[in-house]
Amino acid sequence: MRCCLSAPLAALAALPAPGDLLRSGALLTPAVLRSALAARSERRVHPDTMTALHLELVTLTETSAVITWYTAVPGTDDGFGHLLPAVTEGEVVYGTHPAHLNRTAAEDHPTAHHYVELTDLEPGQTYYYQARSRGRAAAPTPLHLVRGNAVGTSLHGLGSYGGPYSFTTPQPPPGRHLLSIALCNDLHLGETTAGLVAGVPMLRGVTQQPGLDPYPEIMSRAMVEEAQRRGANLLLAAGDISAAGALRDLAEARRILDGFGTHGRDYFVVRGNHDRPHHPDDAFRDGFLGGDGPGYFARDLGGLRLIGLDTYEKDGNGGDAGGLGAGQLSWFQAQLRADRDRPTIVFGHHPLTTRDSVFPMGRGQRLDRRQARSIVDAYASAPGVFLHHAGHTHRNKRTVLTSAPHVTQQEVSAVKDYPGGFCLLRVHTGGYALNYYKNSSVPARAWVERSRRTAGGLWPHHALGRSVTDRNSMRRHDLSGVGAHGS
């Protein structure tokens, strides 16, 4: 017989430790102060009709960079403490010396939600840039110099309102390109309020503007379109496909994802805690598993092994730690033992570890610690595994697993709201690159800007990634056994 206190106790056990709370407060206090000072400075310095802000270097590949910012009307408020949009032109001037920004990339139409892509860059080259609207330099997201978070990979521009800022393009993955895979998670179809935390007035959540489509649908469709445009051959959706496991929401998710291709061939889906069964119904199983069979699987994709984990194969309240059934864990360990050297990607909803979080994270933000250790131990004996893709934390975070240093855990931020996108894995014969892309459709850009106000406006410091390398990286790894897509 289950104790009536089990759910409250589970919720308490999932809370962060006091040390995590103190650490988070120390990290976020400067951001709060900086945001307040920036708002006061904005009113004082720019009393006219436009200001440019929220500059972010989102994507950085060996030959390209995506830079975004927002133009707004000072002194206005959309009801969530956010400035109303000001539609205007945008451009990025850039070059290889901070005093000679002699190249320009401009948008082809006025907008308030600016999205500029620099192309034909040289690998391994340092570039300096400044984003401008009506000749005014865009200011970065606050706390931008913490490990180069929002605007670049160096501290150039310290004390400067608008830069120039800098980045250095990485080298490309060695060898020949084989295929590209879109990594996404946390679509939350059916959700109506982003960032809602009951009982915390500061975290009251953000809703969509009246008359517009539900934001999870806008963002999920935009993600599918963007992934196709960026050349993804496959798509992996790592859980929380729905907000609450409702049949209608999972059916809508299936319709949207079917726009990418065929389930089980072109895209693959695993369960998250929000998709858990609501007895006697299991809408996720009916919608994506044909009503039977386990929620975990292994597939051979032309020499690349794909393993999908059901990290909520358990009874629980959804807020507690993820868990694998004993049968699934044994199956997983046997899969790796059977072919230790085969190039392998593993994806599941809950991360194995949650290091370096700006916000405090409790036990409910990761897989059961003992099971996570078992998985990492299995990785240590399987050199072919090179990537573990996870969601759930709604942030971009790259972690090299200490006990299995050949494996990178990549947490990817949620599709559903800020920063609103996916990670593109480009597999080459001698390594791979991970690059994060925001959804670029006009409705998606508008919602991303509106939803950055979740967590009292502090959400960007958690979700975007504390460094450019948390969302863009390259690593060498022998993947020559993988066949080119379609071969």
Short mmCIF file of all heavy atoms in Angstrom, two decimals, residues 20-86:
data_model
loop_
_atom_site.label_atom_id
_atom_site.label_comp_id
_atom_site.label_asym_id
_atom_site.label_seq_id
_atom_site.Cartn_x
_atom_site.Cartn_y
_atom_site.Cartn_z
N ASP A 20 23.35 24.43 -3.48
CA ASP A 20 23.01 24.78 -4.85
C ASP A 20 22.23 26.09 -4.90
O ASP A 20 22.42 26.91 -5.81
CB ASP A 20 22.19 23.66 -5.50
CG ASP A 20 23.01 22.42 -5.76
OD1 ASP A 20 24.23 22.55 -5.93
OD2 ASP A 20 22.42 21.33 -5.80
N LEU A 21 21.35 26.29 -3.93
CA LEU A 21 20.58 27.53 -3.89
C LEU A 21 21.48 28.74 -3.66
O LEU A 21 21.34 29.78 -4.32
CB LEU A 21 19.53 27.45 -2.78
CG LEU A 21 18.36 26.49 -3.02
CD1 LEU A 21 17.54 26.32 -1.75
CD2 LEU A 21 17.47 26.99 -4.16
N LEU A 22 22.45 28.60 -2.75
CA LEU A 22 23.38 29.71 -2.48
C LEU A 22 24.24 30.00 -3.70
O LEU A 22 24.47 31.16 -4.06
CB LEU A 22 24.26 29.37 -1.28
CG LEU A 22 23.55 29.33 0.08
CD1 LEU A 22 24.49 28.81 1.16
CD2 LEU A 22 23.05 30.72 0.45
N ARG A 23 24.71 28.93 -4.36
CA ARG A 23 25.53 29.11 -5.56
C ARG A 23 24.74 29.81 -6.65
O ARG A 23 25.24 30.73 -7.32
CB ARG A 23 26.03 27.76 -6.05
CG ARG A 23 26.83 27.80 -7.33
CD ARG A 23 27.27 26.39 -7.72
NE ARG A 23 27.95 26.41 -8.99
CZ ARG A 23 27.33 26.39 -10.16
NH1 ARG A 23 26.01 26.35 -10.21
NH2 ARG A 23 28.02 26.42 -11.30
N SER A 24 23.49 29.39 -6.84
CA SER A 24 22.65 30.00 -7.86
C SER A 24 22.41 31.47 -7.56
O SER A 24 22.47 32.32 -8.45
CB SER A 24 21.31 29.25 -7.94
OG SER A 24 20.47 29.85 -8.89
N GLY A 25 22.15 31.79 -6.29
CA GLY A 25 21.93 33.18 -5.93
C GLY A 25 23.15 34.04 -6.21
O GLY A 25 23.03 35.18 -6.69
N ALA A 26 24.33 33.51 -5.93
CA ALA A 26 25.56 34.26 -6.19
C ALA A 26 25.75 34.51 -7.68
O ALA A 26 26.24 35.56 -8.09
CB ALA A 26 26.75 33.49 -5.62
N LEU A 27 25.35 33.55 -8.50
CA LEU A 27 25.51 33.71 -9.94
C LEU A 27 24.48 34.66 -10.53
O LEU A 27 24.79 35.44 -11.44
CB LEU A 27 25.40 32.34 -10.63
CG LEU A 27 26.59 31.39 -10.46
CD1 LEU A 27 26.21 30.00 -10.96
CD2 LEU A 27 27.80 31.91 -11.21
N LEU A 28 23.26 34.61 -10.01
CA LEU A 28 22.18 35.38 -10.62
C LEU A 28 22.08 36.81 -10.10
O LEU A 28 21.54 37.67 -10.79
CB LEU A 28 20.84 34.66 -10.39
CG LEU A 28 20.64 33.39 -11.20
CD1 LEU A 28 19.36 32.69 -10.78
CD2 LEU A 28 20.61 33.69 -12.69
N THR A 29 22.59 37.08 -8.91
CA THR A 29 22.50 38.44 -8.38
C THR A 29 23.12 39.48 -9.31
O THR A 29 22.51 40.53 -9.58
CB THR A 29 23.13 38.52 -6.98
OG1 THR A 29 22.38 37.68 -6.10
CG2 THR A 29 23.13 39.94 -6.45
N PRO A 30 24.33 39.24 -9.86
CA PRO A 30 24.86 40.22 -10.81
C PRO A 30 23.97 40.42 -12.03
O PRO A 30 23.87 41.52 -12.56
CB PRO A 30 26.21 39.62 -11.21
CG PRO A 30 26.58 38.70 -10.09
CD PRO A 30 25.28 38.15 -9.61
N ALA A 31 23.31 39.36 -12.47
CA ALA A 31 22.43 39.48 -13.63
C ALA A 31 21.24 40.38 -13.31
O ALA A 31 20.83 41.21 -14.13
CB ALA A 31 21.95 38.10 -14.08
N VAL A 32 20.66 40.20 -12.11
CA VAL A 32 19.53 41.04 -11.72
C VAL A 32 19.94 42.50 -11.65
O VAL A 32 19.27 43.40 -12.16
CB VAL A 32 18.97 40.56 -10.36
CG1 VAL A 32 17.88 41.50 -9.88
CG2 VAL A 32 18.43 39.14 -10.48
N LEU A 33 21.09 42.76 -11.02
CA LEU A 33 21.57 44.13 -10.88
C LEU A 33 21.89 44.74 -12.24
O LEU A 33 21.55 45.90 -12.52
CB LEU A 33 22.80 44.16 -9.98
CG LEU A 33 22.56 43.79 -8.51
CD1 LEU A 33 23.88 43.72 -7.76
CD2 LEU A 33 21.61 44.78 -7.86
N ARG A 34 22.54 43.95 -13.09
CA ARG A 34 22.89 44.46 -14.41
C ARG A 34 21.64 44.78 -15.23
O ARG A 34 21.58 45.78 -15.93
CB ARG A 34 23.77 43.44 -15.15
CG ARG A 34 24.28 43.97 -16.50
CD ARG A 34 25.13 42.92 -17.20
NE ARG A 34 25.52 43.44 -18.49
CZ ARG A 34 26.66 44.09 -18.72
NH1 ARG A 34 27.50 44.30 -17.73
NH2 ARG A 34 26.95 44.53 -19.93
N SER A 35 20.63 43.90 -15.15
CA SER A 35 19.39 44.15 -15.88
C SER A 35 18.71 45.43 -15.41
O SER A 35 18.23 46.23 -16.21
CB SER A 35 18.43 42.97 -15.71
OG SER A 35 18.98 41.79 -16.26
N ALA A 36 18.70 45.66 -14.09
CA ALA A 36 18.08 46.86 -13.55
C ALA A 36 18.84 48.11 -13.99
O ALA A 36 18.24 49.11 -14.38
CB ALA A 36 18.03 46.77 -12.02
N LEU A 37 20.17 48.04 -13.93
CA LEU A 37 20.98 49.18 -14.34
C LEU A 37 20.82 49.46 -15.83
O LEU A 37 20.76 50.61 -16.26
CB LEU A 37 22.44 48.93 -14.00
CG LEU A 37 22.79 48.96 -12.51
CD1 LEU A 37 24.22 48.51 -12.28
CD2 LEU A 37 22.57 50.35 -11.94
N ALA A 38 20.74 48.37 -16.62
CA ALA A 38 20.57 48.54 -18.06
C ALA A 38 19.25 49.22 -18.38
O ALA A 38 19.15 50.08 -19.24
CB ALA A 38 20.66 47.18 -18.77
N ALA A 39 18.20 48.84 -17.64
CA ALA A 39 16.88 49.44 -17.88
C ALA A 39 16.90 50.93 -17.54
O ALA A 39 16.38 51.77 -18.27
CB ALA A 39 15.82 48.73 -17.03
N ARG A 40 17.54 51.30 -16.42
CA ARG A 40 17.64 52.70 -16.04
C ARG A 40 18.47 53.48 -17.05
O ARG A 40 18.12 54.58 -17.46
CB ARG A 40 18.27 52.82 -14.65
CG ARG A 40 17.39 52.33 -13.54
CD ARG A 40 18.04 52.54 -12.19
NE ARG A 40 18.29 53.95 -11.96
CZ ARG A 40 18.98 54.42 -10.91
NH1 ARG A 40 19.47 53.58 -10.02
NH2 ARG A 40 19.16 55.71 -10.76
N SER A 41 19.59 52.87 -17.49
CA SER A 41 20.45 53.52 -18.48
C SER A 41 19.72 53.71 -19.78
O SER A 41 19.84 54.74 -20.45
CB SER A 41 21.72 52.68 -18.68
OG SER A 41 22.48 53.18 -19.74
N GLU A 42 18.89 52.71 -20.16
CA GLU A 42 18.15 52.79 -21.42
C GLU A 42 17.19 53.97 -21.41
O GLU A 42 17.08 54.70 -22.39
CB GLU A 42 17.37 51.49 -21.61
CG GLU A 42 16.98 51.20 -23.03
CD GLU A 42 18.18 51.05 -23.92
OE1 GLU A 42 19.00 50.18 -23.67
OE2 GLU A 42 18.30 51.85 -24.88
N ARG A 43 16.51 54.20 -20.29
CA ARG A 43 15.59 55.32 -20.21
C ARG A 43 16.33 56.65 -20.26
O ARG A 43 15.87 57.63 -20.82
CB ARG A 43 14.77 55.22 -18.92
CG ARG A 43 13.73 54.12 -18.94
CD ARG A 43 12.75 54.29 -17.81
NE ARG A 43 13.37 54.09 -16.52
CZ ARG A 43 13.44 52.91 -15.90
NH1 ARG A 43 12.94 51.84 -16.48
NH2 ARG A 43 14.00 52.81 -14.72
N ARG A 44 17.56 56.66 -19.68
CA ARG A 44 18.30 57.91 -19.61
C ARG A 44 18.98 58.24 -20.94
O ARG A 44 18.98 59.37 -21.41
CB ARG A 44 19.35 57.81 -18.51
CG ARG A 44 20.14 59.09 -18.31
CD ARG A 44 21.09 58.96 -17.12
NE ARG A 44 22.09 57.93 -17.29
CZ ARG A 44 22.10 56.76 -16.67
NH1 ARG A 44 21.14 56.47 -15.81
NH2 ARG A 44 23.04 55.88 -16.88
N VAL A 45 19.58 57.19 -21.59
CA VAL A 45 20.41 57.44 -22.76
C VAL A 45 19.59 57.50 -24.04
O VAL A 45 19.92 58.22 -24.98
CB VAL A 45 21.49 56.34 -22.87
CG1 VAL A 45 22.31 56.51 -24.13
CG2 VAL A 45 22.40 56.38 -21.64
N HIS A 46 18.49 56.78 -24.09
CA HIS A 46 17.73 56.68 -25.34
C HIS A 46 16.27 57.08 -25.11
O HIS A 46 15.39 56.22 -24.99
CB HIS A 46 17.80 55.25 -25.89
CG HIS A 46 19.19 54.79 -26.16
ND1 HIS A 46 20.01 55.40 -27.07
CD2 HIS A 46 19.90 53.77 -25.63
CE1 HIS A 46 21.18 54.78 -27.10
NE2 HIS A 46 21.14 53.80 -26.23
N PRO A 47 15.99 58.35 -25.07
CA PRO A 47 14.61 58.78 -24.86
C PRO A 47 13.79 58.81 -26.14
O PRO A 47 12.66 59.26 -26.14
CB PRO A 47 14.80 60.21 -24.31
CG PRO A 47 16.05 60.68 -24.99
CD PRO A 47 16.94 59.48 -25.10
N ASP A 48 14.39 58.36 -27.27
CA ASP A 48 13.68 58.41 -28.55
C ASP A 48 12.82 57.16 -28.73
O ASP A 48 12.44 56.53 -27.75
CB ASP A 48 14.68 58.61 -29.70
CG ASP A 48 15.77 57.56 -29.68
OD1 ASP A 48 15.63 56.57 -28.94
OD2 ASP A 48 16.77 57.72 -30.41
N THR A 49 12.57 56.78 -29.96
CA THR A 49 11.56 55.76 -30.22
C THR A 49 12.11 54.36 -30.46
O THR A 49 11.33 53.47 -30.79
CB THR A 49 10.74 56.16 -31.46
OG1 THR A 49 11.62 56.33 -32.57
CG2 THR A 49 9.99 57.46 -31.19
N MET A 50 13.39 54.14 -30.34
CA MET A 50 13.90 52.80 -30.61
C MET A 50 15.16 52.51 -29.81
O MET A 50 15.99 53.39 -29.61
CB MET A 50 14.23 52.65 -32.10
CG MET A 50 14.47 51.19 -32.51
SD MET A 50 15.70 51.04 -33.82
CE MET A 50 17.21 51.36 -32.93
N THR A 51 15.27 51.27 -29.38
CA THR A 51 16.51 50.79 -28.78
C THR A 51 16.77 49.38 -29.31
O THR A 51 15.83 48.65 -29.67
CB THR A 51 16.41 50.79 -27.24
OG1 THR A 51 17.66 50.40 -26.69
CG2 THR A 51 15.33 49.83 -26.75
N ALA A 52 18.04 49.02 -29.41
CA ALA A 52 18.45 47.69 -29.91
C ALA A 52 19.09 46.93 -28.76
O ALA A 52 20.04 47.43 -28.13
CB ALA A 52 19.41 47.85 -31.08
N LEU A 53 18.62 45.74 -28.48
CA LEU A 53 19.09 45.00 -27.32
C LEU A 53 18.96 43.49 -27.54
O LEU A 53 18.54 43.03 -28.60
CB LEU A 53 18.31 45.41 -26.07
CG LEU A 53 16.81 45.12 -25.97
CD1 LEU A 53 16.35 45.32 -24.53
CD2 LEU A 53 15.97 46.01 -26.88
N HIS A 54 19.38 42.72 -26.53
CA HIS A 54 19.30 41.26 -26.53
C HIS A 54 20.15 40.64 -27.64
O HIS A 54 19.76 39.63 -28.26
CB HIS A 54 17.86 40.77 -26.61
CG HIS A 54 17.01 41.22 -25.47
ND1 HIS A 54 15.63 41.19 -25.51
CD2 HIS A 54 17.34 41.73 -24.25
CE1 HIS A 54 15.16 41.66 -24.38
NE2 HIS A 54 16.17 41.99 -23.59
N LEU A 55 21.29 41.23 -27.91
CA LEU A 55 22.22 40.69 -28.91
C LEU A 55 22.76 39.34 -28.45
O LEU A 55 23.23 39.20 -27.32
CB LEU A 55 23.37 41.68 -29.12
CG LEU A 55 24.46 41.24 -30.10
CD1 LEU A 55 23.90 41.21 -31.53
CD2 LEU A 55 25.66 42.18 -30.01
N GLU A 56 22.71 38.35 -29.36
CA GLU A 56 23.21 37.01 -29.04
C GLU A 56 23.88 36.39 -30.25
O GLU A 56 23.35 36.45 -31.37
CB GLU A 56 22.05 36.11 -28.58
CG GLU A 56 21.45 36.57 -27.25
CD GLU A 56 20.17 35.86 -26.87
OE1 GLU A 56 19.63 35.09 -27.70
OE2 GLU A 56 19.70 36.09 -25.74
N LEU A 57 25.05 35.82 -30.02
CA LEU A 57 25.70 34.98 -31.02
C LEU A 57 25.19 33.56 -30.79
O LEU A 57 25.58 32.89 -29.84
CB LEU A 57 27.22 35.04 -30.86
CG LEU A 57 28.03 34.08 -31.73
CD1 LEU A 57 27.85 34.38 -33.21
CD2 LEU A 57 29.51 34.12 -31.35
N VAL A 58 24.31 33.11 -31.64
CA VAL A 58 23.59 31.86 -31.41
C VAL A 58 24.34 30.67 -32.00
O VAL A 58 24.60 29.68 -31.31
CB VAL A 58 22.18 31.93 -32.03
CG1 VAL A 58 21.42 30.62 -31.80
CG2 VAL A 58 21.40 33.10 -31.46
N THR A 59 24.69 30.77 -33.26
CA THR A 59 25.30 29.66 -33.99
C THR A 59 26.69 30.06 -34.44
O THR A 59 26.90 31.18 -34.92
CB THR A 59 24.46 29.30 -35.23
OG1 THR A 59 23.09 29.15 -34.84
CG2 THR A 59 24.95 28.03 -35.89
N LEU A 60 27.65 29.14 -34.30
CA LEU A 60 29.01 29.39 -34.77
C LEU A 60 29.56 28.10 -35.36
O LEU A 60 29.87 27.15 -34.63
CB LEU A 60 29.90 29.88 -33.63
CG LEU A 60 31.33 30.23 -34.00
CD1 LEU A 60 31.37 31.37 -35.01
CD2 LEU A 60 32.14 30.61 -32.75
N THR A 61 29.66 28.07 -36.69
CA THR A 61 30.27 26.93 -37.38
C THR A 61 31.61 27.37 -37.93
O THR A 61 32.04 28.51 -37.75
CB THR A 61 29.38 26.42 -38.53
OG1 THR A 61 29.53 27.26 -39.67
CG2 THR A 61 27.92 26.37 -38.13
N GLU A 62 32.27 26.49 -38.64
CA GLU A 62 33.57 26.83 -39.21
C GLU A 62 33.49 27.87 -40.31
O GLU A 62 34.46 28.56 -40.61
CB GLU A 62 34.27 25.57 -39.74
CG GLU A 62 33.52 24.83 -40.83
CD GLU A 62 32.52 23.81 -40.32
OE1 GLU A 62 32.15 23.87 -39.13
OE2 GLU A 62 32.12 22.94 -41.12
N THR A 63 32.30 28.04 -40.93
CA THR A 63 32.17 28.98 -42.04
C THR A 63 31.00 29.94 -41.89
O THR A 63 30.73 30.71 -42.81
CB THR A 63 32.00 28.22 -43.37
OG1 THR A 63 30.83 27.39 -43.30
CG2 THR A 63 33.22 27.37 -43.69
N SER A 64 30.29 29.92 -40.76
CA SER A 64 29.10 30.76 -40.64
C SER A 64 28.83 31.12 -39.18
O SER A 64 29.36 30.49 -38.26
CB SER A 64 27.87 30.06 -41.24
OG SER A 64 27.55 28.90 -40.47
N ALA A 65 28.01 32.14 -39.01
CA ALA A 65 27.57 32.55 -37.68
C ALA A 65 26.17 33.14 -37.79
O ALA A 65 25.87 33.84 -38.76
CB ALA A 65 28.53 33.57 -37.07
N VAL A 66 25.32 32.86 -36.82
CA VAL A 66 23.97 33.43 -36.76
C VAL A 66 23.91 34.36 -35.55
O VAL A 66 24.21 33.95 -34.42
CB VAL A 66 22.88 32.35 -36.67
CG1 VAL A 66 21.51 32.99 -36.48
CG2 VAL A 66 22.89 31.47 -37.91
N ILE A 67 23.50 35.61 -35.80
CA ILE A 67 23.45 36.65 -34.77
C ILE A 67 22.03 37.19 -34.72
O ILE A 67 21.44 37.50 -35.75
CB ILE A 67 24.46 37.77 -35.10
CG1 ILE A 67 25.89 37.20 -35.05
CG2 ILE A 67 24.32 38.94 -34.14
CD1 ILE A 67 26.92 38.05 -35.74
N THR A 68 21.48 37.30 -33.53
CA THR A 68 20.10 37.79 -33.36
C THR A 68 20.07 38.94 -32.36
O THR A 68 20.92 39.04 -31.47
CB THR A 68 19.16 36.67 -32.87
OG1 THR A 68 19.55 36.25 -31.56
CG2 THR A 68 19.19 35.47 -33.81
N TRP A 69 19.08 39.81 -32.50
CA TRP A 69 18.82 40.87 -31.53
C TRP A 69 17.39 41.37 -31.72
O TRP A 69 16.67 40.91 -32.60
CB TRP A 69 19.84 42.00 -31.63
CG TRP A 69 19.79 42.89 -32.85
CD1 TRP A 69 19.22 44.12 -32.95
CD2 TRP A 69 20.36 42.62 -34.14
NE1 TRP A 69 19.40 44.64 -34.21
CE2 TRP A 69 20.10 43.74 -34.96
CE3 TRP A 69 21.07 41.55 -34.69
CZ2 TRP A 69 20.50 43.82 -36.29
CZ3 TRP A 69 21.47 41.62 -36.02
CH2 TRP A 69 21.19 42.74 -36.80
N TYR A 70 17.02 42.34 -30.89
CA TYR A 70 15.64 42.82 -30.84
C TYR A 70 15.63 44.34 -30.82
O TYR A 70 16.46 44.96 -30.16
CB TYR A 70 14.97 42.28 -29.57
CG TYR A 70 13.54 42.68 -29.33
CD1 TYR A 70 12.53 42.36 -30.23
CD2 TYR A 70 13.18 43.36 -28.17
CE1 TYR A 70 11.21 42.71 -29.98
CE2 TYR A 70 11.86 43.71 -27.90
CZ TYR A 70 10.88 43.37 -28.82
OH TYR A 70 9.57 43.72 -28.57
N THR A 71 14.72 44.95 -31.57
CA THR A 71 14.54 46.40 -31.50
C THR A 71 13.18 46.71 -30.90
O THR A 71 12.18 46.08 -31.25
CB THR A 71 14.70 47.06 -32.88
OG1 THR A 71 13.98 46.32 -33.87
CG2 THR A 71 16.16 47.12 -33.29
N ALA A 72 13.16 47.69 -30.00
CA ALA A 72 11.96 47.93 -29.20
C ALA A 72 11.76 49.41 -28.94
O ALA A 72 12.63 50.24 -29.21
CB ALA A 72 12.09 47.18 -27.87
N VAL A 73 10.59 49.72 -28.41
CA VAL A 73 10.22 51.09 -28.08
C VAL A 73 10.48 51.32 -26.59
O VAL A 73 9.85 50.68 -25.75
CB VAL A 73 8.74 51.37 -28.40
CG1 VAL A 73 8.38 52.81 -28.05
CG2 VAL A 73 8.44 51.06 -29.86
N PRO A 74 11.40 52.19 -26.22
CA PRO A 74 11.70 52.42 -24.81
C PRO A 74 10.49 52.93 -24.04
O PRO A 74 9.63 53.64 -24.58
CB PRO A 74 12.80 53.49 -24.84
CG PRO A 74 13.40 53.40 -26.20
CD PRO A 74 12.27 52.99 -27.12
N GLY A 75 10.40 52.53 -22.78
CA GLY A 75 9.34 53.02 -21.91
C GLY A 75 8.01 52.32 -22.08
O GLY A 75 7.03 52.70 -21.43
N THR A 76 7.95 51.27 -22.93
CA THR A 76 6.70 50.54 -23.13
C THR A 76 6.72 49.23 -22.34
O THR A 76 7.75 48.83 -21.80
CB THR A 76 6.47 50.25 -24.62
OG1 THR A 76 7.58 49.48 -25.13
CG2 THR A 76 6.37 51.54 -25.41
N ASP A 77 5.59 48.54 -22.30
CA ASP A 77 5.48 47.30 -21.53
C ASP A 77 4.39 46.44 -22.16
O ASP A 77 3.27 46.91 -22.39
CB ASP A 77 5.12 47.62 -20.08
CG ASP A 77 5.25 46.41 -19.16
OD1 ASP A 77 4.98 45.27 -19.62
OD2 ASP A 77 5.59 46.59 -17.98
N ASP A 78 4.72 45.18 -22.47
CA ASP A 78 3.75 44.28 -23.09
C ASP A 78 2.89 43.55 -22.06
O ASP A 78 2.13 42.65 -22.40
CB ASP A 78 4.46 43.26 -23.97
CG ASP A 78 5.33 42.29 -23.19
OD1 ASP A 78 5.51 42.49 -21.97
OD2 ASP A 78 5.86 41.34 -23.80
N GLY A 79 2.99 43.94 -20.80
CA GLY A 79 2.25 43.28 -19.74
C GLY A 79 3.07 42.26 -18.98
O GLY A 79 2.67 41.77 -17.93
N PHE A 80 4.24 41.92 -19.52
CA PHE A 80 5.14 40.98 -18.86
C PHE A 80 6.49 41.62 -18.57
O PHE A 80 7.50 40.93 -18.41
CB PHE A 80 5.33 39.73 -19.73
CG PHE A 80 4.09 38.90 -19.88
CD1 PHE A 80 3.27 39.03 -20.98
CD2 PHE A 80 3.73 37.99 -18.90
CE1 PHE A 80 2.12 38.27 -21.12
CE2 PHE A 80 2.57 37.23 -19.03
CZ PHE A 80 1.77 37.36 -20.13
N GLY A 81 6.53 42.95 -18.57
CA GLY A 81 7.78 43.64 -18.29
C GLY A 81 8.73 43.68 -19.47
O GLY A 81 9.94 43.90 -19.29
N HIS A 82 8.21 43.50 -20.67
CA HIS A 82 9.03 43.45 -21.87
C HIS A 82 8.66 44.60 -22.79
O HIS A 82 7.49 44.92 -22.97
CB HIS A 82 8.80 42.10 -22.57
CG HIS A 82 9.72 41.83 -23.70
ND1 HIS A 82 9.34 41.94 -25.02
CD2 HIS A 82 11.02 41.45 -23.72
CE1 HIS A 82 10.35 41.64 -25.80
NE2 HIS A 82 11.39 41.35 -25.04
N LEU A 83 9.67 45.22 -23.43
CA LEU A 83 9.42 46.35 -24.31
C LEU A 83 8.70 45.92 -25.58
O LEU A 83 8.95 44.85 -26.13
CB LEU A 83 10.75 47.02 -24.69
CG LEU A 83 11.59 47.58 -23.54
CD1 LEU A 83 12.89 48.19 -24.08
CD2 LEU A 83 10.81 48.61 -22.74
N LEU A 84 7.81 46.77 -26.06
CA LEU A 84 7.08 46.49 -27.30
C LEU A 84 8.00 46.60 -28.51
O LEU A 84 8.96 47.39 -28.51
CB LEU A 84 5.91 47.46 -27.43
CG LEU A 84 4.79 47.31 -26.40
CD1 LEU A 84 3.80 48.46 -26.51
CD2 LEU A 84 4.09 45.97 -26.56
N PRO A 85 7.72 45.85 -29.58
CA PRO A 85 8.62 45.81 -30.73
C PRO A 85 8.63 47.11 -31.53
O PRO A 85 7.61 47.80 -31.64
CB PRO A 85 8.08 44.65 -31.55
CG PRO A 85 6.65 44.52 -31.16
CD PRO A 85 6.59 44.90 -29.72
N ALA A 86 9.79 47.41 -32.12
CA ALA A 86 9.95 48.52 -33.06
C ALA A 86 10.49 47.94 -34.36
O ALA A 86 11.61 47.41 -34.40
CB ALA A 86 10.91 49.57 -32.51
#
